[in-house]
Amino acid sequence: MSETDSAQQQTDITDYNDPNAPWNQAWDEQGSIAGWNDDVIKEFRENSGKVGGAYAGGDLILLTTTGAKSGKRHTTPLGPLYRGDIMYVSSFIEDKYPAWWYNIKANPQVTIELRDKTHQATGKVLEGADYDEFAAWVLANNPLLADFQSKVDRPVPLVVLTLDGDGPAHETG
C-alpha cells in the first residue's frame, strides 16, 4: 500500500466508534491504553517521525509537556490537525480531558518533535470566545471530531500549538 493510499484510508474514518480507528485498537483487558505509547514514541524517534501499524501514513507529533502536579516531563504521540498554518491538537478521551491538556494549561511551554526535528513551542488551551470560534470551525471541517463531540457531554479539548522562532507549524515533507 502506498503512503497516499494509507493516508486516504486513515481519513476515511469518520465515526469515532470505527473498530479500525487506532484509538479503538490498543486497549488492554482492564480498559486502559496498553502502554503502546512507549512503542510508538520509540518507533517515531528511530524513523524520523514515521510509524507503522494503525498510524502508517499519517502525521504524528511527539508532544512533551511538564506535569501540572508532578513537574515531570511527559511525552505523548498525537495526530496534529491544521487550520491553515495553525497547528492544533484534540483528544478522543471520553470521560475527561487528557493529562497533556491540564499540563499545557498549567505550563504552556512544550516541546514538539515533528518528523526529524525538535521544536520548542507554546501551547494555548482555547477557552471562552477563542474556543467558541475555533470549535465552530473545527466541528464544521472535521467530521471525526464532530462525530466524537456528538457522543460526549463536554466540549472537545482544543489546544493551539505555536512553534517558537520562524516558520509555519505546518511543515511539509
Side-chain angles (χ1 to χ4, degrees):
M1 180 181 306
S2 75
E3 200 169 300
T4 304
D5 294 338
S6 219
Q8 180 62 43
Q9 180 182 12
Q10 187 179 34
T11 59
D12 289 344
I13 298 171
T14 58
D15 181 357
Y16 169 72
N17 293 319
D18 186 326
N20 294 317
W23 52 86
N24 289 327
Q25 296 180 17
W27 297 91
D28 63 20
E29 298 80 38
Q30 290 77 36
S32 61
I33 291 278
W36 57 250
N37 277 355
D38 295 340
D39 291 337
V40 172
I41 292 166
K42 181 179 180 206
E43 184 178 7
F44 181 102
R45 288 177 173 157
E46 289 175 350
N47 297 296
S48 298
K50 295 186 188 305
V51 296
Y55 292 107
D59 281 338
L60 280 183
I61 61 169
L62 297 183
L63 175 68
T64 302
T65 61
T66 301
K69 293 180 182 176
S70 70
K72 295 180 181 176
R73 304 282 284 162
H74 300 279
T75 300
T76 306
L78 293 170
L81 301 165
Y82 297 92
R83 179 180 183 181
D85 283 339
I86 299 170
M87 180 191 301
Y88 68 99
V89 289
S90 191
S91 174
F92 294 120
I93 297 176
E94 291 182 20
D95 58 345
K96 60 185 175 185
Y97 286 136
W100 55 260
W101 184 89
Y102 290 104
N103 294 347
I104 290 172
K105 194 167 178 159
N107 181 353
Q109 299 309 306
V110 300
T111 302
I112 295 174
E113 294 173 61
L114 179 63
R115 295 181 184 82
D116 61 348
K117 295 184 179 141
T118 300
H119 305 271
Q120 296 309 304
T122 303
K124 179 181 179 186
V125 171
L126 296 182
E127 298 178 291
D130 288 341
Y131 179 89
D132 294 342
E133 186 278 326
F134 207 89
W137 181 89
V138 166
L139 297 177
N141 290 283
N142 187 317
L144 190 54
L145 278 174
D147 180 62
F148 176 69
Q149 181 65 86
S150 74
K151 292 174 170 58
V152 296
D153 293 331
R154 60 175 174 75
V156 295
L158 294 173
V159 173
V160 170
L161 300 169
T162 305
L163 303 181
D164 294 346
D166 297 330
H170 193 181
E171 291 184 5
T172 57

